[in-house]
Amino acid sequence: MWLAPEEVLVANALWVTERANPFFVLQRRRGHGQGGGLTGLLVGTLDVVLDSSARVAPYRILHQTQDSQIYWTVASGSSRREITKHWEWLENNLLQTLSIFDNEEDITTFVKGKIHGIIAEENKNLQPQGDEDPGKFKEAELKMRKQFGMPEGEKLVNYYSCSYWKGHMPRQGWLYLTVNHLCFYSFLLGKEVSLVVQWVDVTRLEKNATLLFPESIRVDTREQELFFSMFLNIGETFKLMEQLANLAMRQLLDSEGFLEDKALPTPPRPHRNISALKRDLDARAKNESYRAAFRLPGDERLDGHTSCTLWIPLSKLHVPGQMFLSSNYICFSSKEEDTCRLIIPLREVTIVEKADSCSVLPSPLSISTKSKMTFLFANLKDRDFLVQRISDFLQKMPSKHPGGSGSGRKASIEDQAPEASPAPQEELGQPASPTSRPHGVPTASQGLLKLFPGNMPMEDLGAKGAKEKMKEEWWHIHFFEYGRGVCMYRTAKTRALVLKGIPESLRGELWLLFSGAWNEMVTHPGYYAELVEKSTGKYSLATEEIERDLHRSMPEHPAFQNELGIAALRRVLTAYAFRNPTIGYCQAMNIVTSVLLLYGSEEEAFWLLVALCERMLPDYYNNRVVGALVDQGIFEELTREFLPQLSEKMQALGVIASISLSWFLTLFLSVMPFESAVVIVDCFFYEGIKVVLQVALAILDANMEQLLGCSDEGEAMTVLGRYLDNVVNKQSISPPIPHLHALLTSGDDPPAEVDIFDLLKVSYEKFSSLRAYDIEQMRFKQRLKVIQSLEDTAKRSVVRAIPGDIGFSIEELEDLYVVFKAKHLTSQYWGSGRPGAARRDPSLPYLEQYRIDASQFQELFARLAPWACGTHTPMLAGRMFRLLDRNKDSLITFKEFVTGMSGMYHGDLTDKLKVLYKLHLPPALSSEDAESALEATHYFTEDSSSEEALQQGEREGAGNENIQEKREEKGNSPPDCRHYLQMWAKEKEVQKETIKDLPKMNQEQFIELCKTLYNMFSEDPKEQDLYHAIATVASLLLRIGEVGKRFLGQPGRKPRDTARGDDEPPVPDPPQEPTRELQPAATDDPQAKAGGDTQLGNVPQESQVVGEEGGGEGQCSPSQRLSDDETKDDMSMSSYSVVSTGSLQCEDLAEDTVLVGGEARSGSTVDTDWSISFEQILASILTESVLVNFFEEKVDIGLKIKEQRKVERQFSTSSDYEQSGVSG
């Protein structure tokens, strides 16, 4: 590429001059190309260590003048072709012009101006450069692609200088982090290290410091452990690696993860800032952290943050912290975690004004809300810019809500209840209900506890009632001091009140506020009602599971012992399954949702469920409960840290895995009395998963002595079950609800009661050192472990599901699965246009989740198939793909893939020949001409019409019988089962085909088979012997076919002859084209003409029963007739000359060719009456021992798999780089 001219003082150091003229010099880097010796090794080492541009551009052109010692670089090239192109341009366009100048300074000025002009012309459509040099990043990306063979679609995020520890020796080199791969390259004194690791293969990623590896990053895969150290900024590098590995885990978790990858902005032009993708990833991480900290909706994007102070009126303090601004919210978080947090929705803001600065209050900013609250921020660094940004966002706020002030921004629901309101629950959300709910959609407009109170009036509750009133009074005082609703100051006092228990009358309101569900409900009025309306009457697997679990949801509570509560629960769960089909419905959601419905309306319960499933408990309720397994791993890790003595015992008993899922998935609601568990839910909505982990650790700690004395898992589970059953809430004003688990675990000597508030107090005292940031770090580490463990489980499940008669060992099947999965993932990285990239569905059985298309199968077939066919391989791969693709969706599963591979690798001579034979019959062999395919369809229709009519009659009869049976009583079901079992047994029997079931092969198909064999033998060491043998066999089979044709009876051919006479004129004799005889693969590639694949209307679909319907003696395949073009390309030569001419040098074979050719050329076209059976081919091949030995020779697929995995990512060859260099 052209370079902005730069001075070079020493032109010949480490460079060799190859061409020169009076004004320019073309040079090559020493050591590049052939030879180089010791100098080349030293130069190569320096280039790698110093990251010299000569690694990627080993050629350059310098501008010089005769009397000057200063040279100027004007161009560089990655290949000789690229640099030669630039050299020729300079000679043709500049040399003659430069010779006119008299002054050397003028010459240099003119050259520099010309080169700058060329660069400007090339870059005029590119975006302007940013803070950093885009050329440097482009150079690094080119190095990465060239060194590791990555295609253009692989995006480099960043690269770092570091050392890779190989044994005890560090290898200095460069670490390249791309979206899908971690790559490292080092070259030191002739020793090269090149590593490529896919992020989806990483099982462990951590930053550690040991005596051997000082401050290093450890990367583990299933096969190896890698250590990298000596980073300039190890923190930044590790953070980026975490983000990329996390992205890869999402990709494995669900197919939508790949959409996350695609959401990364692809550089629209090659010159992109070095940190563009890295900044995009950093921005995504900041957005996620921001949303998690303040429980904001999933589409909220952080615009910026700045340090400031917030005035807290009651405390009379300026609290230092950070202000965060996004398009819909202003948030504040104090430096000390529990001091103060604040969320101000912009929809509530009425006034933003700059107050007067003073020494006590520099750069103050006042923000007022509709609820008459004013927030005073100070010490803002860039107040004017901040005010402008807030003003811009306020102007963009929607004005769709009716009524309100002239500002045009008025929410339909007031977030702030009046400060002295005695009945906050009635006000909360009620104004929205009539306007947003369509008529005819019944919804519970308030919490079910209000409809089914079950408790006495407060005056009759004595001490409990007084305590409840006191709690309410505390909260009202808190509201008065710190505000009420979403704009409330959330301080350490707020947390203290939550730990004392939220009063029942305020529980629903505060759950909505603390979880962030309130914001989503306010900004989506009517959304829930629409979902209920749309999902009503819709049936799916999720709705079936919901119906099954409805009556298991708190059946002991009166609210769910009648249809009102059950109907409300059904609507909420169904609406959520309709909103989020990826999750749909998961067991345990019914228990949690039923509790949410007790304290809020249906709409409120729905948005609380959204907050739980999508933000507070991520991935908990998907089909593999990954989130719960991740937190279970964190729980095990915390147990090792805080309770090391107990941890070993629990691991030995295997208890943690059994208890933690039920504890976490239902937030203790299923294992603890309801009135106690709901207090934990209070704390959970305020503090998140931290509380659940703390309480779980406190429960283990309280039972440590008993658990250490347990001898098995059942005993430990009983100890914990009895303890949890006796956790009571002595302050609850609700009557105790019978706990089913308690009835099962009650014994003669019940343990002492434990007050839930005492348990919470102990959990905070002993385990409060947990921090949200630490939990997120642990979640990342455990997510790697859990998802890779699930992938291993999936692999084992897939391998177990493969039938035992496949022939591959377990290890070989696992290796094949890894290769197959890698090919599927590759399509998702770089093959966005391929169907396989968009069709992975994690809800499918493991066997069907990963599928590949024809082009991917062709790549695997070329690497793994035991039959090397040279240029004929793509055609053979296409036929094999069509044979395996039974459902015709242009994708094959792993089971179909190994079935095809097994047919080529295992079994005896007959089995392998059967596979080869089927590859030359429909559906594997497609017709290249639509008319020919249509005739084939007609032929099969007529040939099998009677059989199809018989089958249709049987089906109709079966249908009538089924109708009659349905009208009878249910007592007749056992005969139905037997009937279906018999049908399935018949279907299985049909699939056991014998060689007699194979249809006969016509002359065209036989010639295609000969072509395949010819190509298959061309690379074999016994090539000449195999050619002799196949020539003999082909000659014999052609004669057998000729003889057999004469003995065929006329009635067997009538349908075919009739079809030909009516529909097709006789084929004229085409001219001879002997020069095209040896290129059938190039002209007849069925993949190049996909039209033929879909034309076979009634051709049987199952590969095991190919041609079964027309098993009569005169049957031929659909490809019998040829158009003029086909005849010209393939059949104008002798039937056998395809196999022999040009490759067989023996005199006797040449004579055979002439002899057979004379027979076969009688009509100068394909003989449509000629046919041969599989038995005849088999018998003929058995007469030649060299052919028998060829097909019975065992091939080790393990070696081929190793080779495939070695070259898995090497897509480009050196010639590709040359080409890309020229185009670049």
Side-chain angles (χ1 to χ4, degrees):
M1 59 182 174
W2 299 107
L3 301 175
E6 291 183 5
E7 283 190 23
V8 178
L9 296 178
V10 185
N12 294 318
L14 307 180
W15 293 85
V16 179
T17 299
E18 293 202 334
R19 293 190 190 181
N21 61 41
F23 303 104
F24 298 101
V25 178
L26 189 155
Q27 294 184 327
R28 170 179 56 83
R29 188 72 163 177
R30 287 187 188 275
H32 180 77
Q34 297 180 351
L38 180 60
T39 308
L41 290 179
L42 289 170
V43 172
T45 301
L46 283 172
D47 287 344
V48 170
V49 173
L50 301 177
D51 192 32
S52 167
S53 61
R55 280 179 56 213
V56 68
Y59 299 94
R60 70 180 183 181
I61 297 176
L62 304 179
H63 164 63
Q64 65 165 2
T65 53
Q66 290 179 351
D67 298 330
S68 174
Q69 296 301 314
I70 298 176
Y71 293 77
W72 299 83
T73 57
V74 295
S76 67
S78 61
S79 66
R80 188 179 296 276
R81 187 184 305 174
E82 180 186 7
I83 206 69
T84 302
K85 181 180 174 185
H86 290 333
W87 179 263
E88 290 174 352
W89 188 91
L90 291 171
E91 285 189 328
N92 295 333
N93 294 279
L94 287 190
L95 277 188
Q96 191 171 357
T97 306
L98 295 178
S99 61
I100 300 172
F101 288 93
D102 296 327
N103 189 339
E104 290 185 355
E105 289 185 6
D106 292 344
I107 292 175
T108 302
T109 304
F110 179 81
V111 170
K112 288 163 69 174
K114 193 69 176 175
I115 299 300
H116 279 300
I118 293 172
I119 294 172
E121 185 66 26
E122 287 180 349
N123 295 342
K124 68 179 182 181
N125 294 324
L126 304 180
Q127 63 184 30
Q129 297 183 7
D131 300 332
E132 301 166 37
D133 179 17
K136 189 73 175 171
F137 184 68
K138 182 184 178 184
E139 192 177 285
E141 196 163 34
L142 191 56
K143 287 177 193 171
M144 180 271 296
R145 293 218 177 98
K146 181 175 182 178
Q147 189 60 52
F148 304 105
M150 296 291 177
E152 289 288 328
E154 185 67 358
K155 297 177 278 188
L156 178 65
V157 181
N158 214 346
Y159 62 104
Y160 301 93
S161 172
C162 68
S163 290
Y164 161 63
W165 289 81
K166 190 169 184 181
H168 298 293
M169 287 293 295
R171 298 296 181 89
Q172 183 66 27
W174 290 87
L175 182 71
Y176 298 91
L177 303 180
T178 73
V179 172
N180 302 303
H181 296 88
L182 176 153
C183 308
F184 176 83
Y185 181 75
S186 171
F187 181 85
L188 290 175
L189 299 177
K191 292 188 177 180
E192 185 180 61
V193 176
S194 181
L195 295 171
V196 178
V197 176
Q198 292 189 70
W199 290 117
V200 290
D201 291 334
V202 172
T203 58
R204 183 176 180 180
L205 179 65
E206 62 184 23
K207 184 171 61 174
N208 52 25
T210 63
L211 190 62
L212 183 61
F213 303 117
E215 201 175 26
S216 61
I217 294 176
R218 176 177 177 173
V219 182
D220 287 6
T221 66
R222 291 177 180 84
E223 293 88 18
Q224 56 189 342
E225 296 177 0
L226 310 173
F227 290 88
F228 302 94
S229 65
M230 301 185 194
F231 291 92
L232 292 175
N233 188 342
I234 192 169
E236 176 193 320
T237 309
F238 182 71
K239 184 179 178 184
L240 181 57
M241 293 169 80
E242 269 191 333
Q243 292 170 351
L244 292 168
N246 207 20
L247 190 65
M249 291 308 104
R250 290 188 194 178
Q251 294 169 357
L252 287 178
L253 182 59
D254 58 53
S255 54
E256 290 184 7
F258 284 107
L259 301 179
E260 293 279 341
D261 177 9
K262 303 299 182 190
L264 281 175
T266 306
R269 301 175 180 92
H271 287 204
R272 185 78 187 258
N273 244 347
I274 185 169
S275 56
L277 283 175
K278 182 179 177 302
R279 280 206 303 268
D280 294 333
L281 279 169
D282 288 344
R284 179 182 295 181
K286 286 179 181 177
N287 286 331
E288 289 173 355
S289 176
Y290 169 62
R291 290 193 295 263
F294 299 101
R295 310 273 170 79
L296 299 178
D299 56 354
E300 198 64 21
R301 299 287 183 269
L302 179 64
D303 186 67
H305 59 90
T306 182
S307 58
C308 66
T309 58
L310 173 65
W311 172 256
I312 300 181
L314 186 75
S315 307
K316 302 220 170 7
L317 288 173
H318 288 284
V319 177
Q322 291 270 327
M323 176 195 279
F324 301 86
L325 177 65
S326 59
S327 53
N328 296 292
Y329 298 89
I330 299 170
C331 301
F332 174 85
S333 177
S334 60
K335 284 186 179 178
E336 293 182 17
E337 189 176 355
D338 297 330
T339 306
C340 182
R341 277 194 304 127
L342 180 66
I343 301 169
I344 308 172
L346 290 180
R347 63 178 181 270
E348 289 295 304
V349 173
T350 54
I351 300 171
V352 178
E353 60 181 351
K354 294 181 280 189
D356 295 332
S357 293
C358 64
S359 58
V360 180
L361 208 62
S363 301
L365 178 68
S366 170
I367 298 176
S368 302
T369 65
K370 296 175 186 175
S371 54
K372 301 189 172 95
M373 290 184 73
T374 301
F375 304 95
L376 189 62
F377 297 92
N379 292 285
L380 290 161
K381 290 181 181 176
D382 197 347
R383 183 177 61 167
D384 293 340
F385 177 75
L386 178 65
V387 170
Q388 184 59 46
R389 292 300 294 162
I390 295 174
S391 174
D392 293 342
F393 286 133
L394 286 172
Q395 288 177 5
K396 294 176 184 175
M397 292 297 291
S399 56
K400 60 185 179 183
H401 303 300
S405 61
S407 65
R409 293 180 289 100
K410 182 76 175 175
S412 64
I413 306 171
E414 287 240 336
D415 282 15
Q416 298 280 125
E419 291 176 355
S421 169
Q425 184 65 27
E426 279 79 354
E427 287 194 17
L428 188 73
Q430 292 314 305
S433 301
T435 59
S436 64
R437 186 175 300 128
H439 295 292
V441 180
T443 57
S445 59
Q446 54 187 330
L448 294 177
L449 270 185
K450 293 191 174 181
L451 302 176
F452 303 90
N455 54 340
M456 295 179 287
M458 196 77 77
E459 298 77 23
D460 301 336
L461 288 172
K464 286 186 179 180
K467 184 73 174 177
E468 187 76 6
K469 277 193 170 184
M470 190 184 300
K471 285 183 187 178
E472 289 182 8
E473 191 60 33
W474 288 341
W475 276 99
H476 288 307
I477 293 170
H478 184 274
F479 293 149
F480 178 77
E481 293 174 345
Y482 294 100
R484 184 171 190 173
V486 75
C487 295
M488 175 174 64
Y489 291 93
R490 303 174 194 203
T491 65
K493 189 175 179 183
T494 313
R495 189 178 77 169
L497 284 177
V498 172
L499 285 174
K500 289 178 183 177
I502 298 176
E504 302 240 330
S505 59
L506 297 176
R507 186 162 272 145
E509 173 187 351
L510 294 174
W511 282 3
L512 283 167
L513 295 179
F514 294 151
S515 67
W518 178 244
N519 287 318
E520 288 204 280
M521 187 173 76
V522 169
T523 52
H524 296 83
Y527 176 80
Y528 171 71
E530 289 174 14
L531 274 182
V532 170
E533 203 166 16
K534 287 178 182 176
S535 60
T536 302
K538 297 287 175 63
Y539 176 81
S540 66
L541 183 62
T543 57
E544 183 182 337
E545 292 176 348
I546 289 168
E547 288 297 326
R548 190 175 62 227
D549 286 349
L550 281 176
H551 295 278
R552 304 177 189 171
S553 310
M554 296 187 68
E556 64 276 10
H557 197 286
F560 298 99
Q561 293 171 354
N562 66 84
E563 187 52 36
L564 178 62
I566 294 293
L569 182 60
R570 178 189 291 114
R571 284 191 292 270
V572 173
L573 290 173
T574 307
Y576 186 77
F578 199 79
R579 165 192 165 88
N580 190 345
T582 305
I583 291 177
Y585 171 77
C586 174
Q587 283 188 335
M589 285 173 69
N590 59 320
I591 296 172
V592 175
T593 308
S594 59
V595 174
L596 301 179
L597 278 167
L598 291 175
Y599 296 100
S601 68
E602 276 186 39
E603 186 175 17
E604 292 163 357
F606 170 79
W607 286 113
L608 281 168
L609 185 62
V610 169
L612 269 176
C613 295
E614 297 174 15
R615 291 198 301 277
M616 301 190 72
L617 296 175
D619 301 324
Y620 257 60
Y621 299 105
N622 59 26
N623 59 341
R624 295 193 279 183
V625 293
V626 171
L629 292 173
V630 167
D631 286 348
Q632 174 184 298
I634 294 176
F635 183 43
E636 291 180 9
E637 194 175 332
L638 293 173
T639 307
R640 282 194 296 273
E641 181 182 344
F642 290 104
L643 309 169
Q645 187 181 0
L646 184 60
S647 173
E648 294 180 13
K649 183 71 175 180
M650 298 292 279
Q651 289 291 341
L653 296 177
V655 175
I656 289 184
S658 304
I659 59 173
S660 51
L661 276 182
S662 59
W663 292 4
F664 295 158
L665 279 169
T666 64
L667 302 174
F668 291 98
L669 288 164
S670 64
V671 294
M672 199 181 277
F674 165 72
E675 59 272 9
S676 303
V678 80
V679 177
I680 296 177
V681 177
D682 291 342
C683 300
F684 167 76
F685 276 123
Y686 187 77
E687 297 242 55
I689 194 65
K690 167 188 168 181
V691 177
V692 178
L693 291 168
Q694 286 179 182
V695 171
L697 287 169
I699 291 169
L700 292 186
D701 184 48
N703 292 276
M704 184 181 293
E705 290 184 12
Q706 289 177 278
L707 289 172
L708 288 173
C710 293
S711 57
D712 58 33
E713 181 186 1
E715 189 179 351
M717 295 288 288
T718 303
V719 167
L720 291 170
R722 295 186 70 190
Y723 176 85
L724 289 167
D725 292 337
N726 286 276
V727 176
V728 297
N729 181 359
K730 296 177 181 177
Q731 301 176 12
S732 173
I733 59 170
S734 300
I737 299 169
H739 189 49
L740 296 182
H741 191 261
L743 299 176
L744 298 174
T745 60
S746 60
D748 299 331
D749 185 19
E753 289 185 343
V754 181
D755 189 272
I756 181 63
F757 295 103
D758 293 339
L759 180 63
L760 276 171
K761 184 180 178 183
V762 169
S763 75
Y764 271 90
E765 286 175 353
K766 289 190 175 183
F767 309 109
S768 61
S769 58
L770 282 176
R771 292 286 178 268
Y773 175 79
D774 299 328
I775 291 174
E776 282 307 311
Q777 288 297 306
M778 287 190 281
R779 272 182 168 172
F780 164 73
K781 190 162 71 172
Q782 292 297 329
R783 191 178 292 116
L784 284 179
K785 194 181 297 183
V786 166
I787 293 179
Q788 295 294 6
S789 173
L790 289 172
E791 288 296 306
D792 290 340
T793 303
K795 179 170 69 175
R796 289 192 294 271
S797 301
V798 168
V799 168
R800 280 199 301 267
I802 302 298
D805 58 357
I806 284 295
F808 291 117
S809 67
I810 297 295
E811 293 76 15
E812 288 172 339
L813 284 172
E814 288 183 348
D815 289 343
L816 281 170
Y817 177 79
V818 169
V819 170
F820 186 87
K821 174 184 163 186
K823 186 59 68 176
H824 169 89
L825 291 176
T826 301
S827 76
Q828 303 221 356
Y829 296 156
W830 304 310
S832 57
R834 291 174 170 174
R839 298 196 186 185
R840 186 197 169 209
D841 184 359
S843 62
L844 289 173
Y846 288 133
L847 262 176
E848 300 175 17
Q849 283 188 16
Y850 294 113
R851 296 177 290 178
I852 57 175
D853 60 20
S855 60
Q856 296 165 309
F857 176 79
Q858 182 178 311
E859 294 166 11
L860 285 180
F861 184 90
R863 294 278 179 191
L864 300 178
W867 300 332
C869 297
T871 56
H872 198 66
T873 303
M875 181 182 291
L876 200 63
R879 292 172 185 168
M880 177 65 83
F881 184 85
R882 286 191 289 274
L883 186 67
L884 298 174
D885 183 19
R886 300 184 183 184
N887 57 359
K888 305 302 175 194
D889 64 349
S890 300
L891 296 167
I892 62 169
T893 64
F894 178 68
K895 184 177 180 181
E896 292 167 334
F897 172 72
V898 294
T899 301
M901 285 291 144
S902 175
M904 295 184 288
Y905 273 96
H906 301 289
D908 55 14
L909 170 71
T910 306
D911 295 328
K912 292 178 181 177
L913 282 177
K914 229 155 78 172
V915 172
L916 201 58
Y917 187 83
K918 286 179 183 178
L919 290 179
H920 297 82
L921 293 174
L925 186 73
S926 66
S927 171
E928 286 85 11
D929 187 80
E931 184 180 353
S932 174
L934 186 61
E935 290 166 4
T937 308
H938 291 163
Y939 169 73
F940 272 103
T941 304
E942 295 172 11
D943 200 53
S944 56
S945 57
S946 58
E947 187 175 348
E948 285 185 358
L950 181 61
Q951 290 177 353
Q952 180 67 24
E954 288 175 358
R955 281 198 295 270
E956 288 175 1
N960 293 334
E961 289 172 13
N962 289 341
I963 294 170
Q964 289 293 332
E965 288 168 357
K966 284 178 183 176
R967 289 174 181 169
E968 294 176 5
E969 303 250 333
K970 290 183 180 178
N972 293 333
S973 57
D976 292 346
C977 295
R978 284 197 298 272
H979 170 67
Y980 286 116
L981 286 171
Q982 288 169 0
M983 287 174 60
W984 291 332
K986 284 180 183 176
E987 287 178 9
K988 286 195 170 184
E989 286 173 9
V990 167
Q991 291 180 358
K992 296 175 184 174
E993 70 175 2
T994 64
I995 58 176
K996 293 187 179 296
D997 297 324
L998 292 170
K1000 289 192 174 183
M1001 183 177 276
N1002 67 16
Q1003 196 174 58
E1004 178 193 1
Q1005 294 157 358
F1006 176 71
I1007 291 170
E1008 286 295 329
L1009 176 61
C1010 288
K1011 288 182 191 176
T1012 301
L1013 290 169
Y1014 159 73
N1015 285 280
M1016 196 183 294
F1017 300 152
S1018 63
E1019 298 177 16
D1020 195 272
K1022 299 180 180 178
E1023 182 178 359
Q1024 292 300 323
D1025 294 338
L1026 289 166
Y1027 285 159
H1028 275 284
I1030 198 61
T1032 306
V1033 169
S1035 176
L1036 175 62
L1037 287 170
L1038 283 166
R1039 290 193 179 102
I1040 290 173
E1042 289 292 331
V1043 172
K1045 179 176 67 172
R1046 296 169 190 167
F1047 286 94
L1048 283 176
Q1050 290 301 320
R1053 295 203 315 269
K1054 267 185 182 177
R1056 187 171 67 242
D1057 295 342
T1058 306
R1060 169 146 184 162
D1062 294 343
D1063 301 328
E1064 184 184 9
V1067 180
D1069 293 351
Q1072 299 289 328
E1073 288 189 294
T1075 57
R1076 301 180 66 177
E1077 292 176 357
L1078 295 178
Q1079 297 151 356
T1083 55
D1084 300 321
D1085 184 359
Q1087 290 182 334
K1089 304 174 184 179
D1093 293 353
T1094 57
Q1095 300 289 338
L1096 305 178
N1098 295 324
V1099 177
Q1101 302 286 315
E1102 299 283 81
S1103 63
Q1104 257 68 11
V1105 288
V1106 175
E1108 181 183 286
E1109 297 178 46
E1113 184 159 345
Q1115 179 183 355
C1116 299
S1117 102
S1119 308
Q1120 287 179 352
R1121 299 166 184 82
L1122 294 174
S1123 68
D1124 296 351
D1125 292 340
E1126 288 169 315
T1127 307
K1128 190 183 301 178
D1129 284 347
D1130 284 339
M1131 302 307 162
S1132 57
M1133 74 290 280
S1134 69
S1135 306
Y1136 179 58
S1137 62
V1138 173
V1139 178
S1140 58
T1141 303
S1143 59
L1144 304 183
Q1145 306 300 323
C1146 304
E1147 203 171 329
D1148 55 341
L1149 285 181
E1151 292 173 0
D1152 282 344
T1153 304
V1154 174
L1155 174 66
V1156 179
E1159 293 176 6
R1161 202 163 36 236
S1162 57
S1164 296
T1165 186
V1166 175
D1167 192 338
T1168 54
D1169 291 329
W1170 188 99
S1171 66
I1172 201 83
S1173 68
F1174 176 74
E1175 297 98 314
Q1176 291 167 329
I1177 293 177
L1178 176 62
S1180 302
I1181 286 180
L1182 285 172
T1183 62
E1184 296 290 337
S1185 60
V1186 66
L1187 291 176
V1188 173
N1189 294 337
F1190 176 85
F1191 283 105
E1192 289 191 342
E1193 182 182 356
K1194 298 293 182 185
V1195 182
D1196 184 8
I1197 195 172
L1199 295 175
K1200 289 185 173 285
I1201 292 173
K1202 284 180 184 175
E1203 287 299 315
Q1204 162 64 15
R1205 295 181 74 173
K1206 275 183 190 175
V1207 298
E1208 218 159 50
R1209 289 169 290 275
Q1210 303 304 317
F1211 294 97
S1212 304
T1213 63
S1214 57
S1215 61
D1216 294 329
Y1217 301 132
E1218 299 270 326
Q1219 188 61 39
S1220 66
V1222 173
S1223 62

